[in-house]
Amino acid sequence: MRAVTLESVPSTPAVTEVDTPSPKAGELLVKVAATSLNGIDIATAAGYTQAFMEHRFPLVLGQDFAGTVEALGEDVDGFAVGDAVFGVVLKPYLGAGSLAQYVTVPAGHGVARIPAGLAAGDAGALGVAGATAVASLEAVALAEDQTLLISGASGGVGSLAVQLAAARGAKMIATARTGAQTDFVTGLTDAEVHVVDFTGDLEGQVRAIAPDGVDAVLHLAGDGAQLAALLRPGGQLASTTGLTQDDVKGQDVTVHTIMANPDARILTSLAEQVASGALRVPVTATYPLEQATEAFAASTPGKIAVSCS
């Protein structure tokens, strides 16, 4: 099968021919229709993940997937050949990813059915970013009318978090560059979003909107310590980039280091919101699998999808 692979790290991804995987006990073999790029794919190619996870070469990149069940491993219940499914590849190593024509995934976790009304291209870009956005918002326990600062709002996670936070009635401040990024962020929801330019005086801009500090921060990009200093006393910060409580010693704030849990419940909830029109998957560019390596150099807000069918 064709797949986006690495022969070593750090190195440049290439589209190559590799063996089609076979499902082990408890696994599904999925014929991939669509997938997307995530930060971990870029980090893996750059060699940043070697200290955290085992790498198996040739390493097939990719975590998100949407497609059709092609075969079942032994002891699989609840799925049948032909089912339309999506989710996140959850394995204890990197190398058997979804930027490929086929992928094997555990049937018991990280996979859900695609509901009617959800296109495969959207489903294939939803799992990682959506589950991360949900986990981040749940961690800060955001209440209606509280003020939330989203740093990195134009990215895949941030653009979904903006929409989910708007649905919770939050008052939002979002970081983005002036121009196209700002237009993209404000176009995500009908709710008011105060956009501040992170290349300027971030503290001054935020304090002008929230003089006493914000109630919560989603740290998806930028300087976490600087963002923590913009919280009111007792504020909450959720970080997807590794910030910990030790990094904000002496401050009356709580830091949550986020590890998303894309279980079937969360995936199904996200999928149903997209299918109903309550949530939009912010796909702004789509590449065919044979040109997927070009996506690694692309600079666009939202999500970059890859079509594998």
Side-chain angles (χ1 to χ4, degrees):
M1 68 173 185
R2 302 293 281 170
V4 179
T5 63
L6 300 169
E7 293 296 332
S8 62
V9 291
S11 66
T12 301
V15 180
T16 64
E17 193 75 24
V18 297
D19 292 338
T20 301
S22 298
K24 298 177 181 178
E27 289 187 334
L28 308 174
L29 174 66
V30 177
K31 184 177 182 180
V32 181
T35 178
S36 72
L37 257 62
N38 288 289
I40 190 172
D41 301 311
I42 297 167
T44 299
Y48 298 151
T49 58
Q50 292 183 83
F52 307 106
M53 293 187 74
E54 177 189 353
H55 290 38
R56 297 184 185 179
F57 299 98
L59 190 153
V60 179
L61 292 162
Q63 286 194 303
D64 287 320
F65 69 90
T68 306
V69 176
E70 187 85 357
L72 308 174
E74 295 181 6
D75 302 322
V76 170
D77 294 318
F79 292 97
V81 171
D83 284 348
V85 295
F86 81 107
V88 179
V89 180
L90 296 175
K91 296 187 176 180
Y93 63 92
L94 294 175
S98 56
L99 275 163
Q101 292 176 305
Y102 294 89
V103 66
T104 55
V105 296
H109 194 61
V111 59
R113 285 183 175 78
I114 299 176
L118 176 59
D122 286 340
L126 180 59
V128 171
T132 304
V134 168
S136 298
L137 288 169
E138 289 182 348
V140 298
L142 191 69
E144 187 176 357
D145 290 331
Q146 286 192 320
T147 301
L148 172 69
L149 171 61
I150 302 178
S151 180
S154 65
V157 177
S159 50
L160 287 168
V162 166
Q163 299 175 67
L164 293 168
R168 298 183 183 209
K171 297 176 181 178
M172 267 185 292
I173 304 172
T175 70
R177 291 182 184 274
T178 301
Q181 276 194 10
T182 292
D183 293 342
F184 171 76
V185 171
T186 56
L188 291 168
T189 174
D190 292 334
E192 184 178 23
V193 181
H194 298 281
V195 179
V196 295
D197 187 348
F198 62 86
T199 65
D201 178 9
L202 181 61
E203 180 176 2
Q205 294 173 83
V206 172
R207 292 288 182 185
I209 301 165
D212 297 326
V214 298
D215 297 292
V217 169
L218 300 194
H219 173 219
L220 313 175
D223 184 334
Q226 179 189 29
L227 295 166
L230 297 173
L231 286 163
R232 63 165 177 77
Q236 307 278 316
L237 183 148
S239 176
T240 64
T241 65
L243 194 77
T244 69
Q245 195 69 46
D246 288 341
D247 296 316
V248 294
K249 287 181 178 178
Q251 297 185 52
D252 181 17
V253 300
T254 301
V255 173
H256 307 272
T257 303
I258 300 302
M259 293 292 291
N261 177 31
D263 61 22
R265 176 187 61 84
I266 290 172
L267 293 172
T268 298
S269 174
L270 288 164
E272 289 174 347
Q273 291 177 70
V274 177
S276 72
L279 183 66
R280 176 167 62 88
V281 184
V283 173
T284 53
T286 301
Y287 291 78
L289 181 62
E290 289 294 333
Q291 298 174 18
T293 54
E294 298 175 20
F296 283 77
S299 178
T300 179
K303 288 288 295 181
I304 297 176
V306 176
S307 174
C308 300
S309 57

